[in-house]
Amino acid sequence: MKRKYIYVFLLVFGLLVVSYVHYQFNNNCKIVDILIINGTVITMDSNRTILESGTIVINDGAIVAVGASESLKSKFKAKETINVNGKIVMPGLINTHTHAAMVIFRGFADDLPTLEWLENYIWPAEAKYINAEVVRLGTLLAIAEMIRSGTTTFNDMYFFEDEVAKAAKEAGIRAVIGETLLDFPTPNKKTPQLGLKYTEMLIRKWRDDPLITVAVAPHAPYTCSPEVLIAAKNLSDKYNVPFHIHLSETKNEVNGIKKKYGLTPVEYLDNLGILGDNVIAAHCVHLTEKDIQLIVRRKVGVAHNPESNMKLASGVAPIPDLLSAGANIGLGTDGAASNNDLNMFEEMDTAAKLHKLFCHDPTVIDARTVVEMATIGGARILGLDEQIGSIEIGKRADVIIINTNNPHLIPLYDPYSQIAYTIDGADVETVIIEGKIVMRNHEILTISKEKIIQDVRVLSARIKEDSKK
Ligand SMILES: [Zn+2]
């Protein structure tokens, strides 16, 4: 009997000691999910603070503290601590205009006049091959490419967007998805009215999801009737979601709309009551002074896609003028069939250089400006700047770590310069989205890159074989 009492006493005493130690530890040190320590942290906050030896504290998907490593290290204990030893840590990049699944048609038809490219190659190929399964597969390949090159949010406009949302969820990437509305039948829906119904279903289905935002996405002023454009705007207003459209991309489009309505495409959309702060207008290449004023006054977000505009010879968007007028601008890659990759580091580099050349002025669109466009600027035009685009307390934790221990990244005088001109997508080492590590040391953890590549190879072999017939 006595021995039994001793055992009970020892057990109770042991439990008391354990809980006391645990209590003391928790009191002094908060347990969090991830600590990133000793980083060169490019915060992109409103002061554009750069921390030389910074720590980011992540818990429950959010950034809960940012600051000097020395002061924060002792206050938190993490389930995972990543010591980045001076590497660059920055907000994940935001691709504000793409058609992800079009990676299936990467290199399928290049170097052609735009209309011939669309009418003789892209549209027939889409009609023949695009279905839910191909969109799923193509989107997964695009996501793998985007995560590997540091993109943590993409704004997509394509078909079967429910598949895009599901693929994004599976991979753990943030996405804005919009089903393309066209006056003619799409691979998914026979009429724009059915497309609008499908969009409303998507809005209801995904509205509480932390990663997915649904947009209403009429293709362009020249491919949608005014009735469809207005119905789309009403739907986006009803649910307070983004409205995503191609606008003033080519001279042909501008001439066609002018001929039909006596207005520029921007004036035309304004006349229909469409322009507003939820509008994401992709391209905006051919603008008048009045168009620029309208874009600024209506707070329309511009998605600038320099590489696609160059490859299709659409023209050069007046980005320096839009910026000095006060427009909100993000960067995008457009689809891979007109780029031909989804690498936002290349897009920053191209944007900065294109405008310098075009303006004969090396001071326009400096390095920091393109980094802003690819991060907080992009977040703003997608209406997500309260949640993402910078590394600040209270924002969702979308963070990338870039390995700067490579010859082409030495020395490091100015991080903005390195990000805009030197860092390549392949230098991105680790990607965190919504507080979850989706890529660690270049290895994607959420989806099987090998399986996706294998499946796309099988599909593309079939497309190649068919095109010989
Ligand atoms: Zn596009």
Side-chain angles (χ1 to χ4, degrees):
M1 278 303 276
K2 262 185 183 169
R3 188 174 287 174
K4 192 177 160 194
Y5 284 129
I6 290 167
Y7 283 146
V8 171
F9 173 77
L10 283 175
L11 182 70
V12 170
F13 182 74
L15 281 172
L16 279 172
V17 170
V18 168
S19 20
Y20 177 76
V21 169
H22 191 70
Y23 172 80
Q24 282 299 325
F25 186 76
N26 274 350
N27 249 10
N28 296 330
C29 217
K30 193 174 176 325
I31 310 277
V32 293
D33 292 334
I34 301 172
L35 269 178
I36 301 171
I37 61 171
N38 301 326
T40 301
V41 180
I42 319 303
T43 65
M44 300 312 289
D45 65 9
S46 54
N47 298 321
R48 304 292 182 255
T49 309
I50 294 179
L51 301 165
E52 292 295 341
S53 176
T55 282
I56 303 169
V57 185
I58 296 169
N59 199 37
D60 278 339
I63 295 165
V64 295
V66 191
S69 282
E70 282 317 307
S71 67
L72 283 178
K73 257 193 256 178
S74 55
K75 291 185 186 149
F76 295 94
K77 176 94 185 147
K79 291 169 195 154
E80 172 149 15
T81 299
I82 308 171
N83 186 345
V84 297
N85 286 320
K87 291 172 186 169
I88 288 181
V89 185
M90 67 177 289
L93 303 179
I94 299 171
N95 187 342
T96 60
H97 178 70
T98 190
H99 316 279
M102 287 188 85
V103 289
I104 295 292
F105 303 120
R106 190 198 320 266
F108 171 69
D110 294 318
D111 312 325
L112 292 162
T114 308
L115 263 189
E116 190 185 334
W117 173 73
L118 269 178
E119 288 176 358
N120 297 348
Y121 293 88
I122 297 301
W123 286 342
E126 285 182 338
K128 190 164 178 188
Y129 299 107
I130 292 299
N131 57 41
E133 184 46 36
V134 169
V135 167
R136 191 191 109 77
L137 180 59
T139 304
L140 284 171
L141 181 71
I143 289 172
E145 183 186 351
M146 288 191 275
I147 289 175
R148 277 172 60 85
S149 52
T151 293
T152 54
T153 298
F154 68 104
N155 180 27
D156 199 58
M157 180 200 279
Y158 209 53
F159 312 110
F160 301 96
E161 285 285 331
D162 198 32
E163 298 302 320
V164 178
K166 285 191 264 179
K169 278 297 280 183
E170 189 182 334
I173 192 170
R174 200 177 297 283
V176 180
I177 58 149
E179 178 78 11
T180 312
L181 305 170
L182 288 159
D183 281 348
F184 45 89
T186 75
N188 189 17
K189 294 289 162 195
K190 285 207 161 62
T191 67
Q193 288 72 30
L194 290 171
L196 282 161
K197 271 211 176 114
Y198 178 79
T199 303
E200 186 160 16
M201 177 281 288
L202 292 177
I203 295 172
R204 288 163 175 270
K205 177 175 174 181
W206 293 100
R207 67 177 148 192
D208 296 323
D209 193 278
L211 287 176
I212 308 297
T213 303
V214 176
V216 186
H219 176 263
Y222 66 100
T223 45
C224 293
S225 68
E227 293 74 29
V228 168
L229 293 170
I230 290 167
K233 175 67 177 172
N234 290 342
L235 185 62
S236 72
D237 286 349
K238 179 176 169 190
Y239 290 98
N240 193 24
V241 297
F243 178 102
H244 182 194
I245 190 166
H246 293 98
L247 184 60
S248 293
E249 180 178 2
T250 64
K251 266 221 166 80
N252 267 344
E253 172 191 343
V254 176
N255 293 340
I257 297 286
K258 265 190 179 163
K259 209 168 153 194
K260 215 167 167 184
Y261 303 103
L263 300 164
T264 68
V266 175
E267 291 167 350
Y268 166 63
L269 288 194
D270 194 50
N271 253 26
L272 293 178
I274 281 168
L275 299 187
D277 63 1
N278 68 337
V279 174
I280 304 150
H283 302 301
C284 294
V285 170
H286 300 279
L287 301 178
T288 62
E289 189 46 47
K290 189 178 168 198
D291 289 341
I292 292 176
Q293 293 311 321
L294 273 173
I295 283 170
V296 173
R297 203 175 327 133
R298 303 285 185 238
K299 299 191 171 74
V300 170
V302 174
H304 178 40
N305 305 266
E307 292 198 355
S308 170
N309 296 157
M310 290 165 74
K311 184 157 182 275
L312 297 175
S314 307
V316 179
I319 300 301
D321 296 343
L322 280 160
L323 277 176
S324 52
N328 291 324
I329 300 178
L331 270 187
T333 58
D334 211 350
S338 63
N339 187 302
N340 289 0
D341 58 44
L342 307 176
N343 183 339
M344 286 289 289
F345 283 96
E346 271 185 24
E347 215 63 41
M348 283 189 267
D349 185 48
T350 305
K353 289 173 182 166
L354 169 66
H355 297 287
K356 293 179 202 314
L357 175 66
F358 189 67
C359 299
H360 298 283
D361 179 356
T363 68
V364 299
I365 314 290
D366 60 16
R368 199 175 91 168
T369 303
V370 286
V371 179
E372 286 168 352
M373 286 188 209
T375 55
I376 188 67
R380 202 172 290 128
I381 79 162
L382 300 184
L384 295 173
D385 50 318
E386 303 263 294
Q387 292 150 58
I388 56 170
S390 60
I391 296 176
E392 290 179 86
I393 293 173
K395 288 215 174 175
R396 306 312 297 165
D398 291 7
V399 176
I400 61 176
I401 299 166
I402 298 160
N403 183 3
T404 39
N405 298 323
N406 277 314
H408 65 292
L409 301 176
I410 307 289
L412 175 59
Y413 295 118
D414 173 3
Y416 293 121
S417 166
Q418 292 287 51
I419 295 164
Y421 299 122
T422 330
I423 291 170
D424 181 65
D427 297 318
V428 176
E429 187 177 79
T430 294
V431 173
I432 297 169
I433 305 173
E434 187 69 10
K436 190 176 165 199
I437 300 176
V438 296
M439 182 171 85
R440 189 199 307 267
N441 295 328
H442 305 280
E443 191 198 341
I444 299 177
L445 305 175
T446 47
I447 48 178
S448 165
K449 188 186 71 181
E450 289 70 26
K451 167 92 173 74
I452 297 161
I453 289 174
Q454 189 192 340
D455 290 351
V456 174
R457 283 203 173 123
V458 170
L459 171 69
S460 59
R462 181 156 69 86
I463 296 175
K464 197 172 170 185
E465 205 47 46
D466 286 355
S467 66
K468 286 183 192 156
K469 287 174 193 164

